[in-house]
Amino acid sequence: MMTMLNTLKRFIYACLLVTPTLLQAHEAHEHGSQPQGAALAVSLALDENGTLWRVAVEGGRVIVQASTDMGREFDQPRKLNASPQKIGTDGDARPKIAIGPEGNLYVTWTQALTKPYSGHIWFSASTDGGRTFSTPVIVHRDRAEITHRFDALTVASNGRIYVAWVDKRDLHAAQANKQAYAGAAIYYAYSDDGGLTFKEEQKLADSSCECCRIALATDSDGHAVALWRHVFDGGVRDHAIARFSGQPLMEAKRASFGNWKVDACPHHGPALARGGDWGWHMAWFDGGEKAGLYYARMDGEAWVSSPARRFGLPEQQAGHPALASRGEQVWLVWRALTAQSAIVMLAYSDDGGRSWQDAVQVAETGGRADHPQLLTQGDAVWLVWNTANDGLVSRRLLP
Amino acid sequence: MKQMLSLPAGLVAVLLGLLPAMAQGADFLPFRGDSRAAIEQAHAGRAMILTFWSVDCAYCMEDLALLGEIVRRHPQIALVTVNTDDDNGAVNAAKVLDKAGLPAHARWRFATQDSDRLRYQIDRKWYGELPRSYFYDKQHRVKAVSGKPDSAWLHGWLQEFQAVRP
C-alpha cells in the first residue's frame, strides 16, 4: 500500500512539474509568430547586378528566391525538387547556392534517406538567370544508402563547379573487412560543363569528422581548397586542409593544433577565405578546456599556419564563423549569445590578418538566429544573417 | 486507501485530465529553459547522469549503451536522457531510444525551436557537441563530459557506488 501511495505521490509530483510546460507549449504553438518547423538554415549569394539569391527548405522542397533590396523582400519561390524530400537543415546542414562567372546559379543539398546518417547530394542549375532550374541530379555515382552528406559547393573563376561532401563508403568497406577506420572521408566531384555532367567522384582524404560542414574556396588558378574537421591519431578532432583540382594536388595537411580529443559530433565546421597570393584565412571552433573561436593564416605553399588567435568572449558561445577577404583586408564574423539575444560580432584586419581591430557588435536579434554569412560583390562586403524575429538581416560592412 | 481518497477532488480531476495529454506526448517530457534545474531538484540527494543526445549522432548510440550499462550495474544512479532533435528528427527519436534498450528512465526532448538558446540556458560552456553528459554524484557535484567519458575517470567516479552483479 505504501509503495502504491509513494508511486502515486511521485506521479502527482511528475505531473505538477510537467503541467505548466505542457500548457506553455500549447500556447506557444497557438500564438508563436514562426511556423513550427520553419528552418532558418539558408544560404545566400550576390550576383553582379546586386540581386541577392537565397536558397532555403520549405515543406520538403528546396526553394530559391531573389531579392533586389538585400533581403527585405523576396520574390516567388522556385521549387527545385518536384516531390518533397527530407532535407537536412539542422546543425551544420543546409542547402547551398553559388553563382558562376557567366551568371549561372548552382544549388546543392543533402537529402536524408531512411537509414540513419545516410544521404544523397543533389544538384540543380539555372542557366537563365534564375528563371528556371534544371531537373535535380545526384552528384555522386555511388548510390549506396550510406552517408553522402554535408555538401559544400563553390565555383572557380574558370567556371568549374566543385562539390565536396562527407562520405562513409570507406568506413563501411573497412568494417566489412573487420578493419578499423576513424571517422568518414572527404569526397568531391567537379563539372566543367555548367553542371550538365559531373566527373566521377574522387577521395580527397580519409578520416574526416562526420557531421561538420566543409569550408570550400577556390584560388586564381581554378583550383579548390577544402578545410574540414578531421580525426587525427587518438581521436583528436583538429582541422585538415588540402588543395585539389581534377585530382588531389597534395596530401591533406594538419591546419589546427588544439588537440581536442573527443568521440562526439561537434556540428561545428570551419570557415575559409582566400588571402593574397600568400595563402588562406582560416577560422574554426575548437572544443575542450579552451573551447572557443580561433583564427590563423595558412601559407598556401608551405602549408604551415600562423599561431591560432582566439576571438570572442568566453561563455558567449562564440562560434559559426564566416570570413571574407579583399587584398589585405579581412572580415571575420561570428555568432554569439547573450542573456537576451543572439548577436553577430565583427573583427577587421587591414594587414592580411596579422593584426586585428577590436571586435564590434554589428547585428542583434531577440529570437532564433542562423549562422552569419559574408558576401562580397565589387567593393562591398555584406553580412547576411537569417533570424526568426527580424527576417533576413543584411548590413554592409565598412570600410 | 483512505489517504488516497482524501486527495482533493480538484487535483484528481486535473490529474485525470492530464492523462491523455501525457499519452499523446509519445512519452517524451518537454525540456525547456528551467528543466535542468527541475530535474536536479527532483533528484536531489541522488546520483544522476543527465545526457543529451540526437538521432543524428553516431557516437550518441554508443554512449547511451554505455550509460545504460552503468545504471543497470549501479541502480542507485538515476539516468535522464534528453533528445535534442527538432520536430523532424523527433519522429524517429522514440524508436531509436527504444532500440537502445536502456532501463526505464525519464525521457525528455527539447521543446523549443531555439535549441541554441536552450543550450545556453542549460550550460554556457556547452557548444552543441553531442553526446553531452553531466555526471552528478550524491552531493550533486557535477562533471560535464563531451563525447565518451574517459574510462579511467569513469572508473574512479563509479567507486562511490556499489555495483550489482550482472
PDB file of all heavy atoms in Angstrom, chain A residues 6-28:
ATOM      1  N   ASN A   6       3.343   5.830  -2.571  1.00  0.00           N
ATOM      2  CA  ASN A   6       4.559   6.543  -2.976  1.00  0.00           C
ATOM      3  C   ASN A   6       4.609   6.721  -4.480  1.00  0.00           C
ATOM      4  O   ASN A   6       4.972   7.778  -4.985  1.00  0.00           O
ATOM      5  CB  ASN A   6       5.800   5.784  -2.508  1.00  0.00           C
ATOM      6  CG  ASN A   6       6.069   6.055  -1.034  1.00  0.00           C
ATOM      7  OD1 ASN A   6       5.663   7.104  -0.521  1.00  0.00           O
ATOM      8  ND2 ASN A   6       6.714   5.115  -0.369  1.00  0.00           N
ATOM      9  N   THR A   7       4.216   5.650  -5.158  1.00  0.00           N
ATOM     10  CA  THR A   7       4.201   5.729  -6.622  1.00  0.00           C
ATOM     11  C   THR A   7       3.247   6.818  -7.070  1.00  0.00           C
ATOM     12  O   THR A   7       3.558   7.627  -7.946  1.00  0.00           O
ATOM     13  CB  THR A   7       3.750   4.379  -7.212  1.00  0.00           C
ATOM     14  OG1 THR A   7       4.526   3.361  -6.613  1.00  0.00           O
ATOM     15  CG2 THR A   7       3.959   4.349  -8.713  1.00  0.00           C
ATOM     16  N   LEU A   8       2.080   6.839  -6.422  1.00  0.00           N
ATOM     17  CA  LEU A   8       1.081   7.847  -6.787  1.00  0.00           C
ATOM     18  C   LEU A   8       1.614   9.246  -6.514  1.00  0.00           C
ATOM     19  O   LEU A   8       1.485  10.149  -7.333  1.00  0.00           O
ATOM     20  CB  LEU A   8      -0.215   7.603  -5.993  1.00  0.00           C
ATOM     21  CG  LEU A   8      -1.351   8.553  -6.354  1.00  0.00           C
ATOM     22  CD1 LEU A   8      -1.809   8.290  -7.783  1.00  0.00           C
ATOM     23  CD2 LEU A   8      -2.529   8.382  -5.393  1.00  0.00           C
ATOM     24  N   LYS A   9       2.276   9.384  -5.342  1.00  0.00           N
ATOM     25  CA  LYS A   9       2.842  10.694  -4.999  1.00  0.00           C
ATOM     26  C   LYS A   9       3.848  11.149  -6.055  1.00  0.00           C
ATOM     27  O   LYS A   9       3.853  12.298  -6.475  1.00  0.00           O
ATOM     28  CB  LYS A   9       3.548  10.621  -3.632  1.00  0.00           C
ATOM     29  CG  LYS A   9       2.644  10.911  -2.450  1.00  0.00           C
ATOM     30  CD  LYS A   9       3.522  11.041  -1.208  1.00  0.00           C
ATOM     31  CE  LYS A   9       2.767  10.664   0.051  1.00  0.00           C
ATOM     32  NZ  LYS A   9       3.682  10.281   1.128  1.00  0.00           N
ATOM     33  N   ARG A  10       4.674  10.189  -6.456  1.00  0.00           N
ATOM     34  CA  ARG A  10       5.681  10.518  -7.466  1.00  0.00           C
ATOM     35  C   ARG A  10       5.014  10.935  -8.768  1.00  0.00           C
ATOM     36  O   ARG A  10       5.434  11.871  -9.438  1.00  0.00           O
ATOM     37  CB  ARG A  10       6.580   9.312  -7.733  1.00  0.00           C
ATOM     38  CG  ARG A  10       7.715   9.249  -6.743  1.00  0.00           C
ATOM     39  CD  ARG A  10       8.773   8.277  -7.211  1.00  0.00           C
ATOM     40  NE  ARG A  10       9.509   7.829  -6.032  1.00  0.00           N
ATOM     41  CZ  ARG A  10       9.879   6.583  -5.830  1.00  0.00           C
ATOM     42  NH1 ARG A  10       9.606   5.652  -6.717  1.00  0.00           N
ATOM     43  NH2 ARG A  10      10.530   6.266  -4.747  1.00  0.00           N
ATOM     44  N   PHE A  11       3.941  10.205  -9.076  1.00  0.00           N
ATOM     45  CA  PHE A  11       3.229  10.504 -10.315  1.00  0.00           C
ATOM     46  C   PHE A  11       2.648  11.917 -10.257  1.00  0.00           C
ATOM     47  O   PHE A  11       2.771  12.709 -11.189  1.00  0.00           O
ATOM     48  CB  PHE A  11       2.121   9.469 -10.526  1.00  0.00           C
ATOM     49  CG  PHE A  11       1.284   9.742 -11.747  1.00  0.00           C
ATOM     50  CD1 PHE A  11       1.837   9.549 -13.002  1.00  0.00           C
ATOM     51  CD2 PHE A  11      -0.014  10.208 -11.638  1.00  0.00           C
ATOM     52  CE1 PHE A  11       1.078   9.801 -14.133  1.00  0.00           C
ATOM     53  CE2 PHE A  11      -0.762  10.466 -12.758  1.00  0.00           C
ATOM     54  CZ  PHE A  11      -0.225  10.266 -14.012  1.00  0.00           C
ATOM     55  N   ILE A  12       2.044  12.233  -9.081  1.00  0.00           N
ATOM     56  CA  ILE A  12       1.470  13.568  -8.918  1.00  0.00           C
ATOM     57  C   ILE A  12       2.559  14.622  -9.059  1.00  0.00           C
ATOM     58  O   ILE A  12       2.413  15.621  -9.767  1.00  0.00           O
ATOM     59  CB  ILE A  12       0.779  13.698  -7.532  1.00  0.00           C
ATOM     60  CG1 ILE A  12      -0.442  12.772  -7.495  1.00  0.00           C
ATOM     61  CG2 ILE A  12       0.388  15.132  -7.254  1.00  0.00           C
ATOM     62  CD1 ILE A  12      -1.038  12.610  -6.112  1.00  0.00           C
ATOM     63  N   TYR A  13       3.695  14.360  -8.404  1.00  0.00           N
ATOM     64  CA  TYR A  13       4.800  15.310  -8.455  1.00  0.00           C
ATOM     65  C   TYR A  13       5.264  15.521  -9.898  1.00  0.00           C
ATOM     66  O   TYR A  13       5.432  16.648 -10.363  1.00  0.00           O
ATOM     67  CB  TYR A  13       5.946  14.794  -7.586  1.00  0.00           C
ATOM     68  CG  TYR A  13       7.147  15.694  -7.566  1.00  0.00           C
ATOM     69  CD1 TYR A  13       7.012  17.023  -7.168  1.00  0.00           C
ATOM     70  CD2 TYR A  13       8.393  15.232  -7.959  1.00  0.00           C
ATOM     71  CE1 TYR A  13       8.104  17.858  -7.155  1.00  0.00           C
ATOM     72  CE2 TYR A  13       9.487  16.069  -7.952  1.00  0.00           C
ATOM     73  CZ  TYR A  13       9.335  17.388  -7.555  1.00  0.00           C
ATOM     74  OH  TYR A  13      10.420  18.209  -7.574  1.00  0.00           O
ATOM     75  N   ALA A  14       5.374  14.394 -10.616  1.00  0.00           N
ATOM     76  CA  ALA A  14       5.805  14.482 -12.012  1.00  0.00           C
ATOM     77  C   ALA A  14       4.814  15.306 -12.826  1.00  0.00           C
ATOM     78  O   ALA A  14       5.188  16.152 -13.624  1.00  0.00           O
ATOM     79  CB  ALA A  14       5.946  13.087 -12.608  1.00  0.00           C
ATOM     80  N   CYS A  15       3.534  15.073 -12.569  1.00  0.00           N
ATOM     81  CA  CYS A  15       2.509  15.803 -13.317  1.00  0.00           C
ATOM     82  C   CYS A  15       2.567  17.290 -13.025  1.00  0.00           C
ATOM     83  O   CYS A  15       2.440  18.119 -13.911  1.00  0.00           O
ATOM     84  CB  CYS A  15       1.118  15.280 -12.971  1.00  0.00           C
ATOM     85  SG  CYS A  15       0.851  13.631 -13.595  1.00  0.00           S
ATOM     86  N   LEU A  16       2.746  17.613 -11.738  1.00  0.00           N
ATOM     87  CA  LEU A  16       2.791  19.026 -11.371  1.00  0.00           C
ATOM     88  C   LEU A  16       3.981  19.702 -12.048  1.00  0.00           C
ATOM     89  O   LEU A  16       3.908  20.843 -12.481  1.00  0.00           O
ATOM     90  CB  LEU A  16       2.887  19.188  -9.851  1.00  0.00           C
ATOM     91  CG  LEU A  16       1.595  18.795  -9.110  1.00  0.00           C
ATOM     92  CD1 LEU A  16       1.807  18.899  -7.616  1.00  0.00           C
ATOM     93  CD2 LEU A  16       0.424  19.672  -9.552  1.00  0.00           C
ATOM     94  N   LEU A  17       5.072  18.970 -12.113  1.00  0.00           N
ATOM     95  CA  LEU A  17       6.250  19.520 -12.785  1.00  0.00           C
ATOM     96  C   LEU A  17       5.969  19.757 -14.257  1.00  0.00           C
ATOM     97  O   LEU A  17       6.413  20.719 -14.848  1.00  0.00           O
ATOM     98  CB  LEU A  17       7.413  18.529 -12.674  1.00  0.00           C
ATOM     99  CG  LEU A  17       8.369  18.726 -11.526  1.00  0.00           C
ATOM    100  CD1 LEU A  17       9.467  17.686 -11.606  1.00  0.00           C
ATOM    101  CD2 LEU A  17       8.966  20.116 -11.555  1.00  0.00           C
ATOM    102  N   VAL A  18       5.201  18.844 -14.818  1.00  0.00           N
ATOM    103  CA  VAL A  18       5.037  18.841 -16.263  1.00  0.00           C
ATOM    104  C   VAL A  18       3.944  19.790 -16.729  1.00  0.00           C
ATOM    105  O   VAL A  18       4.061  20.422 -17.768  1.00  0.00           O
ATOM    106  CB  VAL A  18       4.727  17.394 -16.733  1.00  0.00           C
ATOM    107  CG1 VAL A  18       4.232  17.395 -18.167  1.00  0.00           C
ATOM    108  CG2 VAL A  18       5.975  16.544 -16.599  1.00  0.00           C
ATOM    109  N   THR A  19       2.884  19.914 -15.920  1.00  0.00           N
ATOM    110  CA  THR A  19       1.706  20.648 -16.366  1.00  0.00           C
ATOM    111  C   THR A  19       1.992  22.024 -16.959  1.00  0.00           C
ATOM    112  O   THR A  19       1.587  22.309 -18.083  1.00  0.00           O
ATOM    113  CB  THR A  19       0.688  20.788 -15.210  1.00  0.00           C
ATOM    114  OG1 THR A  19       0.571  19.531 -14.610  1.00  0.00           O
ATOM    115  CG2 THR A  19      -0.651  21.262 -15.741  1.00  0.00           C
ATOM    116  N   PRO A  20       2.728  22.890 -16.230  1.00  0.00           N
ATOM    117  CA  PRO A  20       2.897  24.246 -16.764  1.00  0.00           C
ATOM    118  C   PRO A  20       3.608  24.234 -18.116  1.00  0.00           C
ATOM    119  O   PRO A  20       3.228  24.967 -19.014  1.00  0.00           O
ATOM    120  CB  PRO A  20       3.772  24.942 -15.713  1.00  0.00           C
ATOM    121  CG  PRO A  20       3.703  24.084 -14.502  1.00  0.00           C
ATOM    122  CD  PRO A  20       3.440  22.695 -14.965  1.00  0.00           C
ATOM    123  N   THR A  21       4.588  23.342 -18.261  1.00  0.00           N
ATOM    124  CA  THR A  21       5.334  23.334 -19.524  1.00  0.00           C
ATOM    125  C   THR A  21       4.455  22.877 -20.668  1.00  0.00           C
ATOM    126  O   THR A  21       4.529  23.398 -21.761  1.00  0.00           O
ATOM    127  CB  THR A  21       6.578  22.448 -19.400  1.00  0.00           C
ATOM    128  OG1 THR A  21       6.238  21.309 -18.649  1.00  0.00           O
ATOM    129  CG2 THR A  21       7.709  23.168 -18.762  1.00  0.00           C
ATOM    130  N   LEU A  22       3.597  21.909 -20.397  1.00  0.00           N
ATOM    131  CA  LEU A  22       2.694  21.448 -21.455  1.00  0.00           C
ATOM    132  C   LEU A  22       1.805  22.589 -21.916  1.00  0.00           C
ATOM    133  O   LEU A  22       1.595  22.798 -23.097  1.00  0.00           O
ATOM    134  CB  LEU A  22       1.811  20.304 -20.943  1.00  0.00           C
ATOM    135  CG  LEU A  22       2.424  18.909 -20.947  1.00  0.00           C
ATOM    136  CD1 LEU A  22       1.437  17.917 -20.358  1.00  0.00           C
ATOM    137  CD2 LEU A  22       2.782  18.515 -22.369  1.00  0.00           C
ATOM    138  N   LEU A  23       1.293  23.344 -20.936  1.00  0.00           N
ATOM    139  CA  LEU A  23       0.404  24.446 -21.285  1.00  0.00           C
ATOM    140  C   LEU A  23       1.153  25.511 -22.068  1.00  0.00           C
ATOM    141  O   LEU A  23       0.668  26.024 -23.065  1.00  0.00           O
ATOM    142  CB  LEU A  23      -0.215  25.057 -20.012  1.00  0.00           C
ATOM    143  CG  LEU A  23      -1.159  24.102 -19.284  1.00  0.00           C
ATOM    144  CD1 LEU A  23      -1.674  24.728 -18.003  1.00  0.00           C
ATOM    145  CD2 LEU A  23      -2.331  23.717 -20.186  1.00  0.00           C
ATOM    146  N   GLN A  24       2.374  25.787 -21.616  1.00  0.00           N
ATOM    147  CA  GLN A  24       3.175  26.791 -22.335  1.00  0.00           C
ATOM    148  C   GLN A  24       3.419  26.365 -23.770  1.00  0.00           C
ATOM    149  O   GLN A  24       3.315  27.150 -24.692  1.00  0.00           O
ATOM    150  CB  GLN A  24       4.520  26.991 -21.645  1.00  0.00           C
ATOM    151  CG  GLN A  24       4.430  27.916 -20.444  1.00  0.00           C
ATOM    152  CD  GLN A  24       5.668  27.814 -19.598  1.00  0.00           C
ATOM    153  OE1 GLN A  24       6.690  27.310 -20.062  1.00  0.00           O
ATOM    154  NE2 GLN A  24       5.584  28.267 -18.370  1.00  0.00           N
ATOM    155  N   ALA A  25       3.709  25.073 -23.919  1.00  0.00           N
ATOM    156  CA  ALA A  25       3.996  24.577 -25.264  1.00  0.00           C
ATOM    157  C   ALA A  25       2.784  24.795 -26.157  1.00  0.00           C
ATOM    158  O   ALA A  25       2.897  25.218 -27.295  1.00  0.00           O
ATOM    159  CB  ALA A  25       4.342  23.089 -25.199  1.00  0.00           C
ATOM    160  N   HIS A  26       1.617  24.534 -25.595  1.00  0.00           N
ATOM    161  CA  HIS A  26       0.396  24.689 -26.366  1.00  0.00           C
ATOM    162  C   HIS A  26       0.220  26.151 -26.774  1.00  0.00           C
ATOM    163  O   HIS A  26      -0.032  26.465 -27.922  1.00  0.00           O
ATOM    164  CB  HIS A  26      -0.785  24.218 -25.531  1.00  0.00           C
ATOM    165  CG  HIS A  26      -2.071  24.269 -26.277  1.00  0.00           C
ATOM    166  ND1 HIS A  26      -2.315  23.467 -27.353  1.00  0.00           N
ATOM    167  CD2 HIS A  26      -3.159  25.056 -26.123  1.00  0.00           C
ATOM    168  CE1 HIS A  26      -3.514  23.729 -27.826  1.00  0.00           C
ATOM    169  NE2 HIS A  26      -4.046  24.701 -27.105  1.00  0.00           N
ATOM    170  N   GLU A  27       0.424  27.043 -25.809  1.00  0.00           N
ATOM    171  CA  GLU A  27       0.257  28.475 -26.099  1.00  0.00           C
ATOM    172  C   GLU A  27       1.222  28.946 -27.174  1.00  0.00           C
ATOM    173  O   GLU A  27       0.840  29.651 -28.089  1.00  0.00           O
ATOM    174  CB  GLU A  27       0.477  29.289 -24.824  1.00  0.00           C
ATOM    175  CG  GLU A  27      -0.790  29.407 -24.009  1.00  0.00           C
ATOM    176  CD  GLU A  27      -0.546  30.151 -22.723  1.00  0.00           C
ATOM    177  OE1 GLU A  27       0.521  30.802 -22.605  1.00  0.00           O
ATOM    178  OE2 GLU A  27      -1.395  30.061 -21.859  1.00  0.00           O
ATOM    179  N   ALA A  28       2.462  28.500 -27.001  1.00  0.00           N
ATOM    180  CA  ALA A  28       3.480  28.942 -27.954  1.00  0.00           C
ATOM    181  C   ALA A  28       3.084  28.507 -29.362  1.00  0.00           C
ATOM    182  O   ALA A  28       3.258  29.231 -30.320  1.00  0.00           O
ATOM    183  CB  ALA A  28       4.834  28.361 -27.583  1.00  0.00           C
TER     184      ALA A  28
END
